C-alpha cells in the first residue's frame, strides 16, 4: 500500500499539535497535571488563545491526547519485552515485564503519574484509554496463562473467571493474548495473574515515582523483584529466574 501523502496544511497542523503536546508535557513535568495551562502554552508558542483551540478543544482534550500517548508508549515497551522473552520461561518473562514497566515509569514519572496518579477533579478520560491500558497489560495475560495458582489465589481466580465469562470485551482481550476461551479455567488464571501483577507494580512503582521511598533503607527495584518472585510462586510459574541469585 502506498504511503499516505499529506498536504502542507496537514503537516503544519500535525507539527503544531506535536509542539503543543511537548509544551504540555514540560508543564506536566514541572508542576503536575494542575500546571497544564493552555493560555501559557499559547503565549510560549506565540499563538492567540483562539488559535490554540483550533488544535485542541480544551485542556481536557489535550490531556486526553497525553494520556493516550502515555498508554501507547508503555504498551509498546511491554510488547517489545514480551517478544524478546525466552520461550517457556514464564518467570523470567514476568520479571522482564515488571522491570520494563518500572523503567518506563522511573524515566518519566510525570507521564506515569498522569495515567496512574490521583485523578484530576472533574476530568473524565476518553473511553478509548481503557483499551490502551489493557494493551499495556496484555503481555501479562500471556505469562500467567500457563500458571497453576496456589489455593490462596483461588478466590481471585474464581472472580476473574466469572468476569471473563460475563464480559465480552474482557473475554476478547484475554483471547487475543492467550487464545483461551472464556470457558477455559486458564482464562480466569491469566486474568487474575495480570490484575494482581498490575496492582503489585502500581503499589511499588507508584510509591517510588512519587518519592515515598525517600530516606528509607531499601531500593524499590529490590522490593519489586521480591514481590514478583512471590507472585510467580503463588501462580506456579515455570522458570529458574532468581533461584540461583
Amino acid at each position: 500500500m502506498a504511503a499516505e501523502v499529506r498536504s502542507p496544511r496537514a503537516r503544519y497542523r500535525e507539527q503544531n499539535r506535536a509542539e503543543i503536546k511537548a509544551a504540555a508535557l514540560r508543564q506536566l513535568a514541572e508542576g503536575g497535571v494542575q500546571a497544564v495551562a493552555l493560555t501559557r502554552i499559547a503565549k510560549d508558542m506565540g499563538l492567540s488563545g483562539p488559535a490554540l483551540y483550533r488544535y485542541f478543544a480544551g485542556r481536557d482534550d489535550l490531556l486526553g491526547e497525553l494520556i493516550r500517548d502515555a498508554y501507547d508508549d508503555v504498551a509498546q515497551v511491554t510488547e517489545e519485552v514480551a517478544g524478546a522473552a525466552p520461550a517457556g520461561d514464564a518467570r523470567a518473562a514476568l520479571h522482564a515485564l515488571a522491570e520494563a514497566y518500572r523503567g518506563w515509569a522511573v524515566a518519566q514519572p510525570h507521564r506515569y503519574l498522569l495515567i496512574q496518579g490521583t485523578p484530576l477533579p472533574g476530568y473524565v478520560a476518553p473511553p478509548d484509554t481503557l483499551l490502551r491500558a489493557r494493551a499495556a497489560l496484555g503481555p501479562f495475560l500471556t505469562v500467567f496463562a500457563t500458571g497453576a495458582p496456589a489455593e490462596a489465589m483461588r478466590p481471585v481466580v474464581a472472580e476473574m473467571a466469572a468476569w471473563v465469562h460475563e464480559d465480552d470485551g474482557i473475554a476478547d482481550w484475554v483471547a487475543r493474548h492467550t487464545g483461551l476461551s472464556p470457558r477455559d479455567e486458564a482464562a480466569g488464571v491469566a486474568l487474575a495473574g495480570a490484575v494482581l501483577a498490575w496492582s503489585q507494580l502500581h503499589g511499588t512503582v507508584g510509591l517510588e515515582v512519587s518519592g515515598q521511598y525517600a530516606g528509607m533503607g531499601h531500593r524499590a527495584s529490590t522490593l519489586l523483584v521480591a514481590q514478583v518472585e512471590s507472585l510467580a510462586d503463588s501462580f506456579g510459574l515455570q522458570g529458574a529466574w532468581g533461584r540461583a541469585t
Side-chain angles (χ1 to χ4, degrees):
M1 181 181 292
E4 180 183 355
V5 178
R6 292 171 298 169
S7 68
R9 177 187 286 274
R11 291 196 299 271
Y12 177 75
R13 178 178 176 80
E14 185 175 312
Q15 179 182 342
N16 279 348
R17 281 176 58 87
E19 290 181 8
I20 292 167
K21 289 196 290 184
L25 285 174
R26 288 193 293 272
Q27 291 180 350
L28 188 69
E30 292 167 0
V33 68
Q34 299 281 4
V36 178
L38 268 65
T39 52
R40 186 153 65 94
I41 293 174
K43 182 178 180 181
D44 292 346
M45 293 183 62
L47 296 173
S48 66
L52 193 68
Y53 283 96
R54 289 202 297 266
Y55 300 99
F56 293 95
R59 189 177 71 160
D60 284 2
D61 186 27
L62 176 55
L63 288 175
E65 283 294 296
L66 298 183
I67 290 171
R68 290 184 181 97
D69 289 348
Y71 274 128
D72 288 349
D73 280 359
V74 72
Q76 182 177 352
V77 167
T78 56
E79 288 169 1
E80 288 177 352
V81 168
D89 195 336
R91 187 176 295 261
L94 180 58
H95 277 282
L97 285 168
E99 181 181 350
Y101 185 93
R102 174 181 172 268
W104 181 88
V106 170
Q108 39 197 345
H110 55 297
R111 298 184 76 198
Y112 175 81
L113 292 173
L114 176 65
I115 60 175
Q116 298 290 0
T118 303
L120 184 68
Y123 174 75
V124 178
D128 64 311
T129 58
L130 177 60
L131 299 179
R132 287 173 158 83
R134 288 178 184 172
L137 286 177
F140 289 88
L141 292 168
T142 307
V143 167
F144 285 99
T146 58
E151 189 63 29
M153 296 292 106
R154 286 296 170 182
V156 180
V157 171
E159 289 188 0
M160 297 300 168
W163 187 19
V164 76
H165 190 265
E166 297 167 0
D167 189 316
D168 290 342
I170 292 295
D172 290 345
W173 176 50
V174 173
R176 190 161 58 252
H177 290 277
T178 65
L180 295 170
S181 161
R183 294 182 175 82
D184 194 321
E185 181 182 3
V189 173
L191 186 56
V195 171
L196 284 168
W198 171 73
S199 65
Q200 293 274 16
L201 284 167
H202 178 53
T204 300
V205 174
L207 287 169
E208 180 181 11
V209 300
S210 60
Q212 298 301 312
Y213 288 146
M216 298 180 70
H218 72 281
R219 293 183 300 169
S221 57
T222 304
L223 180 59
L224 188 59
V225 165
Q227 289 178 311
V228 170
E229 274 292 278
S230 178
L231 187 58
D233 286 342
S234 296
F235 278 81
L237 297 187
Q238 298 300 305
W241 195 99
R243 293 307 189 190
T245 60

